[in-house]
Amino acid sequence: MMFFRNAAYVVPMRSFERSVTPVLDTAEWTPSSWRSRPHTQQPVYPDADELERTLAQLRALPPLVTSWEILALKRLLADAAEGRRFLLQGGDCAESFDDCTSPLISNRLKVMLQMSLVLVHGLKLPVVRVGRFAGQYAKPRSADTETRDGVALPSYRGDLVNGAAFTADARRADPQRLIRGHARSAMTMNFVRALVDGGFADLHHPEYWDLGWVEYSPLQAEYRQMVEAIGNSLRFMETLAGSPLGGFQRVDFYTSHEALVLHYEQALTRRVPRQPGWFNLSTHYPWIGMRTAALDGAHVEYFRGIRNPIAVKIGPSVTPDQLLRLADVLDPEREPGRLTLIHRMGADKIEAALPPLLAAIKAVGRTPLWVCDPMHGNTETLGTGVKTRRFGNIRDELDRAFDVHVAAGTRLGGVHLELTGENVTECLGGARDLTETDLARAYKSQVDPRLNYEQSLEIAMQIVRKHGAAASPRVA
Ligand code: PEP
Ligand code: CO
């Protein structure tokens, strides 16, 4: 805190100082109207002129996605809310600029393709695939500063903002990183698009999705049997039809990130020809994190005016009344596919915290897409200071989420996970029963611990095993 009182770190941006508008829904929205609201988790840029110059550059650069992709995704999410599809949203807690490499991107894609195959096969539902990638470069932090050996520096807020190294230089919020983040997002997206359009996702070649480093595991055997069965059905159908069946060569992949740094999001908020309103063209499906979901805050103000499908993370402290008001501000028209509510309660809290929220939303006749994030309510710090999550808690929260929705007469339409295709040891447990000693072996995350490949596949199988029946019936 002290650190930011240093005059060099005060943002001389007068618009921040305007008084807060008390009326929420009726006030005029503009891409910059968030600036007049209380804003948290924003970087403090030492040089306001440099920031403005950089934002002008960013505004002139091409967008990363198109409005018609965004609207197509909104229709798919509306289907998911009605039980006709299932959402698989996953990726790193935070991407880093250094991790914008071919193997990291393709391995993450491979895991998600394998998981979605398991889900499609087991749930008998099409899966909507959304990556936490191509823009997941900013992180909310619990404190503005980090102190080591008596030295306080600004916290690392993700590569979009500053560097992770504990030096004053690295921790300085650097506007050039906004441009680099845009470029890295474009490279990631370009590679993903080229892969999926070029046949990487072809169901005739599931071997393309094999991960080089995976040794024999019982999960692999189960997965292979399933792939074999699907391949046989496909060949059988094609023999009957006398030609290859269309539609199996490619899949759609959409992108999402926490839209945290509002200067960045604003610069990519654009109008498009032949569509009313404004679109955030930095990603298809931005979400508001739990720490920035205040009703009168800058993030809610920004999100209410964009036409993308949007999501909000909901923690155990949200009250039914707050949630209803949030839904009214963010989705006043009750537009199908517009609003996703991602609950992240913790395995031990979900059974008490979620039912009142489900009941309140149901009672007013809203049908948002409900998604479970079983990661963020189950983070713990070990005695060694290492941040981890227990696979058992992640699985239990998911299991309980399905049960709580069934009891409430609502539907869990998707899952939101932190995962990687790398051979990491960050979460405890799972098929190989990783122990605290294993964590030291391959812990790579700068932020939250991620599921590795095997743990991810196991979660997909678990969803199918225990809850396929609950998830698949259609809503009339
Ligand atoms: C995240 O998704 O990485 C995150 C910070 O989540 P939450 O806002 O739910 O804590
Ligand atoms: Co996280």
Side-chain angles (χ1 to χ4, degrees), residues 92-94 132 136 139-140 258 287-292 313-314 342 344 373 376 389 416 418 448:
D92 284 315
C93 179
R132 264 179 82 111
Q136 178 53 18
K139 294 310 297 171
E258 177 173 353
W287 78 82
I288 307 180
M290 186 190 73
R291 289 164 192 76
T292 48
K313 296 279 206 94
I314 307 295
I342 306 175
R344 31 87 80 225
D373 164 358
H376 288 89
R389 291 162 172 155
H416 180 114
E418 287 185 345
D448 289 341

